[in-house]
Amino acid sequence: QVQLVASGGGLVQPGGSLRLSCLASGFTFSDYHMGWYRQAPGKERELVAAIGSLGISKKYTDSAKGRFTISRENTKNMIYLQMNSLKPEDTAVYYCNARRSWTWGQECGDWGQGTQVTVSS
C-alpha cells in the first residue's frame, strides 16, 4: 500500500522557519512527481510546491516563491519543504502528494495524512 507520512509541522512565530518532511513507501519513489498541498480552514486546498521525479523540475505557488524550497532525496524516499519567513497566512494543514503526471491543477494521486503548520505570535 502507498503510504506518505508527513511530519515537521508545529507552531512558529511570524518570520520563523519550519522544515516539513514526507516519507514515502509502497511504490517506486523515483518514478513519481511529488508535491506539497495545503488547506486552511474554510479555504480550498492549494498546491504549494511540486518537484519532478528526478528533482529537476520545480513549481511554486506565487505566495511561496522566494520563501519555500522543495527538495527530495530519492535514496531515502523523502521529500522536504523548507519554509522560511513564515506568515500567518501560511497556517494550514500541509499534505504530501505523489503522482505520475505533471498535473498539479488536479486532485489526483496518493495523499499523506497531513501535518499542521500554525504561524502565530
Side-chain angles (χ1 to χ4, degrees):
Q1 299 88 353
V2 172
Q3 287 192 321
L4 300 168
V5 181
S7 62
L11 175 64
V12 65
Q13 293 186 354
S17 298
L18 285 173
R19 189 182 73 164
L20 306 184
S21 300
C22 177
L23 175 62
S25 62
F27 61 99
T28 303
F29 183 68
S30 60
D31 288 345
Y32 283 74
H33 309 306
M34 303 293 296
W36 288 99
Y37 285 79
R38 68 186 178 190
Q39 187 168 29
K43 295 185 177 180
E44 294 289 324
R45 185 160 57 188
E46 65 170 346
L47 179 71
V48 179
I51 187 166
S53 60
L54 300 180
I56 299 172
S57 298
K58 295 181 180 180
K59 178 182 178 67
Y60 298 94
T61 191
D62 287 344
S63 65
K65 290 179 181 177
R67 299 188 299 126
F68 294 3
T69 303
I70 189 169
S71 61
R72 68 191 294 162
E73 294 185 69
N74 282 1
T75 57
K76 297 182 178 180
N77 284 15
M78 296 283 291
I79 68 164
Y80 308 95
L81 185 67
Q82 179 66 46
M83 304 187 295
N84 299 326
S85 301
L86 283 162
K87 304 174 181 179
E89 306 92 270
D90 297 316
T91 297
V93 178
Y94 285 70
Y95 297 92
C96 184
N97 174 267
R99 62 183 67 188
R100 292 293 302 270
S101 300
W102 193 260
T103 53
W104 299 108
Q106 302 178 19
E107 292 192 346
C108 59
D110 296 291
W111 296 87
Q113 88 288 355
T115 185
Q116 175 72 50
V117 172
T118 302
V119 184
S120 176
S121 60

